[in-house]
Amino acid sequence: MADKKITAEHIEAFKQIVGAAHVIIDAESLEFYAHDETETLHFVPEVVVKPGSTAEVSELFKICNRDLIPVTPRGGGTGLSGGALAHLGGVVLSTERLNKILDIDERNLQVTTEPGVITEVLQNAVKEKGLFYPPDPSSRGTCFIGGNIAENSGGPKAVKYGVVKDYVLNLEAVLPTGEIIWTGANVLKNATGYNLTQLLVGSEGTLAVVTKIVLKLIPLPKYDLLMLAPFASLEKASEAVSAIFRAGFNPSALELVEIDALKIVSQMVDSYVVPVNDDIAAHLVVEVDGNNLDVLMQEMEQIAMLLEQYEAGELFFADDAQQKEELWKLRRRTAEAVKSSGYTIEEDTVVPRAELPKLIKGVKELGQKYDFHAVCYGHAGDGNLHVRIKKEGNKNSLNDPEMNAILRELFKLVKSLGGTISGEHGIGLIQKTYMDIVFEQRQIQVMRDIKKAFDPNNILNAGKIFDAVASV
């Protein structure tokens, strides 16, 4: 296992590779890289290195692999599972200089990009050409596309269009040994050998560092309609979610936001476009998109009639682009707002969507049993519920026995409903304790064997997903 300290000779070697301006060692600058958006965790790296090319990444790895120096890859620092935190010290390898969109291939509907491009920047660049890259995590304005690859990110559009893995065709990656590989081919179908591309997607930066990404694009839908539906019952709102799909509708987004979360975020962004009355328990945000406006209008009207059967209140239709943007701003900033209000512990549970009512009911019962307050929101259309927890005296779940016991009970409930412990945030540092709930030892051992094949000296993001050293 990598555990060696960095010396002055290492620092000088890093400067020779990437340039002195791109090696960060002063305490003030290192603080920026000591946290991401996970709870209130804080781990200061020994050094931050910012390579500007694949070749530079390769040379850095050769040194670190030889001298057993821990390396933690980092994108935009928006992660929620501690994957970009240097809890073992060593090097943080920041991809922020690998920030170019290399090619937009309009003939084949593909884009080739470096990992340090901000996701929303990439989306806007292809949108100008009438193309669409659907995965859109709430942090899309600050997160990097490389981090999205590492976490297999989703977002509101995932319910119709799928998650990141559904758009990745090929990856250039640097192995922890310094070797450079391409994982596949720039084609839509590929049954040639093991699928290394999909193995790296969602591997949380533990197997390799991706330096180039080839993504599939689709034509940009011409129209979208957005509706907000209030419910007096959180369970009725979640029941309506499954009913929409059973009725044959395919919304482009279907989000649930509990009223407590909405009150907090409305105050933060100074917006009251959404009613926040005390007799409302939750809202559903329903979006449809496509190329025929008349068809979309009919679809939205039919969904509205269906929601009335589940005791929806007065429906609000966004009339123009500004209202749509304001509604989405409220949803996208929910996590930031509730965290700033003390809900620092976030879980990323996912169950079959018909089981959402039972999950939400179970969360509330756990809150009463263990004296914590929770707010729920998330991608209800695909069963992905974010649970934010505020408990007096417990800001973090990491290494907190009381919170660990609570979360084990929550995750056992999730498992019993046919779900799993993370839908899009990853396991990282804070969820690895609970992997035994969803996997048997043999499954975990297979994962460890894969890790060892890519990273024989365990230098790359060691201690993420599972412990750096196997327990006896």
Side-chain angles (χ1 to χ4, degrees), residues 362-410:
V363 168
K364 297 301 181 180
E365 288 175 349
L366 285 173
Q368 292 177 347
K369 180 179 179 180
Y370 292 108
D371 192 28
F372 67 81
H373 192 58
V375 293
C376 302
Y377 58 92
H379 317 305
D382 48 28
N384 186 192
L385 186 74
H386 301 318
V387 180
R388 279 274 184 178
I389 293 172
K390 177 167 69 173
K391 182 171 174 59
E392 193 68 33
N394 305 75
K395 290 188 175 182
N396 298 316
S397 66
L398 185 67
N399 300 325
D400 184 319
E402 184 178 20
M403 281 310 307
N404 290 167
I406 292 170
L407 294 180
R408 286 197 76 82
E409 193 163 336
L410 170 62

Side-chain angles (χ1 to χ4, degrees), residues 87-164:
H87 70 298
L88 300 178
V91 175
V92 162
L93 192 160
S94 171
T95 60
E96 59 198 277
R97 291 179 62 218
L98 298 168
N99 59 3
K100 300 179 185 65
I101 298 174
L102 301 173
D103 179 52
I104 300 175
D105 182 350
E106 297 179 68
R107 291 174 62 243
N108 289 304
L109 301 187
Q110 296 177 6
V111 60
T112 304
T113 180
E114 292 182 323
V117 175
I118 293 173
T119 303
E120 190 171 21
V121 170
L122 177 72
Q123 290 175 318
N124 290 339
V126 302
K127 185 177 182 180
E128 290 177 2
K129 299 183 180 296
L131 300 174
F132 185 32
Y133 174 68
D136 62 336
S138 295
S139 57
R140 66 179 185 171
T142 50
C143 64
F144 291 0
I145 190 66
N148 296 172
I149 299 293
E151 300 296 334
N152 191 25
S153 300
K157 304 287 187 185
V159 64
K160 179 176 181 178
Y161 292 105
V163 295
V164 165

